[in-house]
Amino acid sequence: MTAEPETKGAMTENIGMEAAAALDAKMEQHLVAQRAVADVVRECDEHRAAGHVTEVVFANTLLGVAKEEAAAA
């Protein structure tokens, strides 16, 4: 038994809206993560310029942000 053409169109439209909403949520997560990384890089650059941060600390800080992003996904 197949769906009526009107029902099929509504189902397709609903799936498209769900996909758009999912994509929108993923994009928002990505933008939040990008802002977090930019903030960490900016802060580390300021500390590095002042001589307070080594490359190892910088790399570990970025790793922490990446792990937080992965846990949130």
Side-chain angles (χ1 to χ4, degrees):
M1 184 172 196
T2 60
E4 296 296 320
E6 294 170 5
T7 306
K8 234 181 198 180
M11 288 175 19
T12 302
E13 184 177 320
N14 190 29
I15 291 170
M17 291 175 65
E18 289 174 6
L23 178 60
D24 187 49
K26 283 291 185 186
M27 289 298 296
E28 185 60 33
Q29 287 177 342
H30 178 71
L31 292 172
V32 168
Q34 289 288 358
R35 285 186 214 112
V37 168
D39 290 345
V40 167
V41 169
R42 190 177 309 107
E43 185 177 334
C44 283
D45 281 347
E46 290 170 3
H47 288 289
R48 191 174 5 183
H52 300 140
V53 175
T54 65
E55 295 298 321
V56 173
V57 171
F58 179 70
N60 286 336
T61 303
L62 286 179
L63 178 61
V65 171
K67 285 182 179 180
E68 288 175 12
E69 179 188 353

